[in-house]
């Protein structure tokens, strides 16, 4: 199994939609096993703009991290879809072991 | 050393207790080196229910990620304990290198 | 490429500065590719103090996770710089594959 993480900014857009919501939608439509979106409190990337939580502004463009755990082949295909979206981001992935915990019907 | 990550929902319960608090307690009682709990802003999993931050509802069932870094053997035993709890979740783990930074007594 | 994660407490200080801000500054000054800071909602570490979100206190000392994705050599040098700072923390790192997604000029 593969662990995929995508770094981008909260205010990155893809058409009228935030990129991170677009990627969640892609995961949903392409039948990925799941996805989790985390929001950071501070960060910088390629352009060396430091983004941080700031009480004086509403548009903070905080760091967003999207996580997907799935089979390598499905992750590879998802990355191809994500690339079609026009934004600046960093994609990171590595191999992991997984185990599904299932609720027993009582 | 092993890096363990557990994905579940904020409102998953184990008896009267949220599962994520129960797992923190397990880590504490079994002498794990530490644990960190992160809360996501959006996600979906097995049942393909999309959970997200929503200002109109109080019970949001947001994604929870629990992280534990410890020796492989202790992680293996912790997973056995966690399995006894009746909930839907995903367990992911992989090998890492670690380094402890210690505050010097001045 | 290397994935570096540093665990510490929000209220850990290095001189007059929170350690996590100091580390972001180090990343910036040493030309690391980027950095992301996440804040947890619960955790414990070496001293087995459980930190959690608490509505009754302002100083919560919540868990902080700092993430840096960069070349192994640059991560190694960054760790040497971070060690000079006097705080209790855990450093974790492993190898990953990366891919940069670039916005096309239209
Ligand atoms: N190499 C990296 N390591 C850790 N986090 C990164 C890295 N590159 C980017 N990020 C995260 O992704 C966010 C968006 O990246 P990017 O668009 O490249 O930033 P910037 O606005 O500085 O150009 C950053 O704010 C940062 O939180
Ligand atoms: N394969 C996965 N990749 C990333 N995150 C996941 C994955 N599976 C589950 N999660 C996270 O764990 C949370 C709980 O999972 P689960 O109970 O299976 O979700 P659901 O409510 O859709 O059945 C999800 O909301 C999601 O944030
Ligand atoms: N082995 C570990 N696994 C997961 N998280 C850890 C680990 N060690 C430390 N942490 C995280 O780093 C934070 C700070 O660590 P530390 O200063 O050692 O905690 P404490 O205040 O209990 O001494 C903890 O609250 C926890 O969130």
């Amino acid at each position: 199994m593969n662990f995929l993480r995508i770094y981008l900014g909260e205010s990155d857009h893809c058409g009228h939609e935030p990129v991170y919501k677009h990627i969640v939608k892609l995961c949903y439509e392409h039948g990925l096993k799941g996805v989790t979106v985390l929001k950071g409190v501070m960060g910088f990337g390629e352009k060396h703009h430091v983004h941080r939580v700031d009480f004086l502004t509403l548009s903070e463009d905080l760091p967003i991290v999207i996580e997907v755990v799935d089979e390598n082949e499905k992750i590879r295909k998802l990355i191809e879809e994500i690339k079609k979206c026009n934004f600046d981001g960093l994609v990171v992935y590595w191999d992991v072991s997984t185990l599904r915990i299932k609720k027993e019907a009582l």
Side-chain angles (χ1 to χ4, degrees), chain A:
Chain A
M1 298 282 280
N2 241 210
F3 197 123
L4 170 72
R5 272 173 133 243
I6 306 159
Y7 288 94
L8 64 158
E10 195 181 1
S11 65
D12 289 337
H13 274 66
C14 186
H16 291 294
E17 206 176 24
V19 174
Y20 78 92
K21 288 190 182 171
H22 180 74
I23 293 177
V24 169
K25 218 178 271 186
L26 282 176
C27 291
Y28 197 91
E29 289 165 359
H30 287 74
L32 275 288
K33 285 195 204 306
V35 61
T36 300
V37 181
L38 302 173
K39 191 193 285 195
V41 293
M42 194 171 180
F44 74 80
E46 188 87 327
K47 292 191 289 293
H48 273 225
H49 293 164
V50 177
H51 310 284
R52 73 183 75 196
V53 174
D54 177 352
F55 296 102
L56 301 178
T57 56
L58 278 178
S59 73
E60 295 170 332
D61 193 24
L62 289 173
I64 292 282
V65 188
I66 302 180
E67 306 187 333
V68 184
V69 181
D70 212 323
E71 287 146 37
N72 303 29
E73 183 58 18
K74 276 167 77 189
I75 294 290
R76 214 190 46 73
K77 283 186 185 156
L78 177 66
I79 292 175
E80 288 312 306
E81 290 300 319
I82 289 170
K83 274 184 182 170
K84 294 180 190 166
C85 191
N86 198 30
F87 73 106
D88 278 319
L90 176 67
V91 171
V92 185
Y93 53 100
W94 63 94
D95 284 322
V96 295
S97 303
T98 64
L99 178 80
R100 185 82 211 172
I101 296 190
K102 285 216 187 307
K103 194 167 183 160
E104 307 285 323
L106 295 180

